[in-house]
Amino acid sequence: MLKSVARALLAVILLAAVGWYGWQLGPWADGAPGERALADFAAIERASTPNQFLVAPPGTTPKAAPDAESPVFPVPAERLRDAMLALAGEAPRTALLERSPDGMRMLLVQRSAVLRFPDYIDVAILPAGDGGSTVAIYSRSRFGYSDMGVNRRRVEAWLAELRRRVGA
């Protein structure tokens, strides 16, 4: 009798875990296109958790201190946008969730390899004067407290790849 109760309890726990996993991490978890809003970098307020990384040009995020200042790229914003879209399209386990009509703002999700935990990445391509451009990137984990530096490494790697792609 005790074994059957234990089995039933284990089954309920497993079903609950599978249900939560499917609801939170399944392919439908990010919502349909048009359901998620693109970030307004001027309104971003950071959480108190360390599982995020923000790179922005001075004055772009008045309510949130960036972790680093964005580089200026010696190319027009349209070229930087195209390089960013290509980079995002080639990044593993990454999907474009939303994009502004001009493509200068986008929301991406990149999932971890094993458990598919989502990190959301907001990107804004901005003109920087003298025909140049810059980028604001806010990468953060949806779940957990610490990301062991994953968001920082992602943003830094993407910035390095953007430099390589546009010849900066």
Side-chain angles (χ1 to χ4, degrees):
M1 177 74 173
L2 189 56
K3 283 185 179 182
S4 61
V5 170
R7 284 186 193 136
L9 183 58
L10 181 60
V12 168
I13 291 170
L14 286 173
L15 282 172
V18 167
W20 179 87
Y21 182 84
W23 176 59
Q24 292 291 324
L25 303 174
W28 51 84
D30 296 317
E35 283 185 4
R36 300 191 69 77
L38 293 168
D40 174 4
F41 277 83
I44 286 177
E45 294 186 37
R46 299 186 59 173
S48 61
T49 58
N51 60 351
Q52 58 191 314
F53 194 74
L54 173 63
V55 169
T60 306
T61 57
K63 295 182 177 185
D67 295 297
E69 187 175 321
S70 298
V72 174
F73 298 88
V75 297
E78 293 77 14
R79 182 163 171 216
L80 185 60
R81 173 202 59 206
D82 295 344
M84 184 67 223
L85 286 168
L87 185 157
E90 296 167 9
R93 302 172 313 280
T94 302
L96 178 65
L97 298 178
E98 297 293 334
R99 181 177 164 188
S100 64
D102 63 0
M104 297 298 185
R105 294 186 319 143
M106 56 196 82
L107 172 62
L108 305 152
V109 63
Q110 186 173 54
R111 293 184 175 277
S112 62
V114 178
L115 295 177
R116 295 184 29 84
F117 288 122
D119 288 349
Y120 292 113
I121 307 115
D122 278 288
V123 177
I125 307 296
L126 307 162
D130 293 329
S133 56
T134 188
V135 61
I137 304 175
Y138 182 38
S139 181
R140 67 236 177 253
S141 302
R142 179 173 173 191
F143 299 110
Y145 179 80
S146 175
D147 66 350
M148 296 179 285
V150 169
N151 286 293
R152 177 186 196 115
R153 286 191 302 276
R154 173 188 303 114
V155 171
E156 289 174 346
W158 285 12
L159 289 173
E161 180 62 16
L162 285 173
R163 283 186 197 97
R164 189 191 70 73
R165 288 179 185 233
V166 300

